Amino acid sequence: MGDRTRIDDLNVIKGVSVGLSKIVGELERLDHKEQYGWNREIVGHEELTDRLNDFAANWDYKRSKLEEELKKLSGIAKAASEAYESIDTDLANAVRKNEKKS
């Protein structure tokens, strides 16, 4: 059976899509700028404040890019599971049709 797709394989692919979507949702809920609001009065040191703000801006940018890639991967996994299900349905219908002819 190594060259066949099994139903549990499809469930795994669907699970990947759902899991990636959940990760994206969690990342989207994070808002570091609001949470930390780095300023000199809070941090007490101008250079450290600047570095913290640079880090937060970089994290927001990288997080946004990560979210985009995860959304793409989730979509690919979803499309793959739908395509495999469609193929499976078509094959099952063809087998049933062939059995009726026999």
Side-chain angles (χ1 to χ4, degrees):
M1 266 212 150
D3 60 345
R4 295 184 183 181
T5 301
R6 298 185 322 261
I7 192 66
D8 57 322
D9 296 333
L10 294 176
N11 290 333
V12 169
I13 294 171
K14 287 179 189 177
V16 167
S17 177
V18 170
L20 290 172
S21 292
K22 287 180 181 179
I23 291 169
V24 169
E26 290 300 316
L27 287 171
E28 288 174 339
R29 283 188 268 288
L30 295 175
D31 190 351
H32 292 279
K33 289 179 182 175
E34 273 186 29
Q35 184 178 358
Y36 299 112
W38 303 113
N39 62 51
R40 190 166 190 267
E41 291 77 34
I42 292 172
V43 177
H45 188 274
E46 188 172 345
E47 186 176 347
L48 181 55
T49 302
D50 290 343
R51 289 182 185 241
L52 287 169
N53 285 324
D54 288 345
F55 173 82
N58 189 40
W59 165 246
D60 287 340
Y61 173 76
K62 297 288 185 177
R63 186 187 73 207
S64 173
K65 291 296 183 186
L66 179 60
E67 288 170 13
E68 289 174 23
E69 294 302 315
L70 290 173
K71 285 178 186 177
K72 288 179 192 175
L73 289 173
S74 177
I76 290 168
K78 182 178 181 185
S81 69
E82 289 171 352
Y84 286 127
E85 277 185 318
S86 177
I87 290 168
D88 186 52
T89 300
D90 292 346
L91 288 172
N93 290 337
V95 168
R96 283 187 205 105
K97 185 177 178 180
N98 192 36
E99 287 175 348
K100 285 181 182 180
K101 286 182 181 180
S102 301

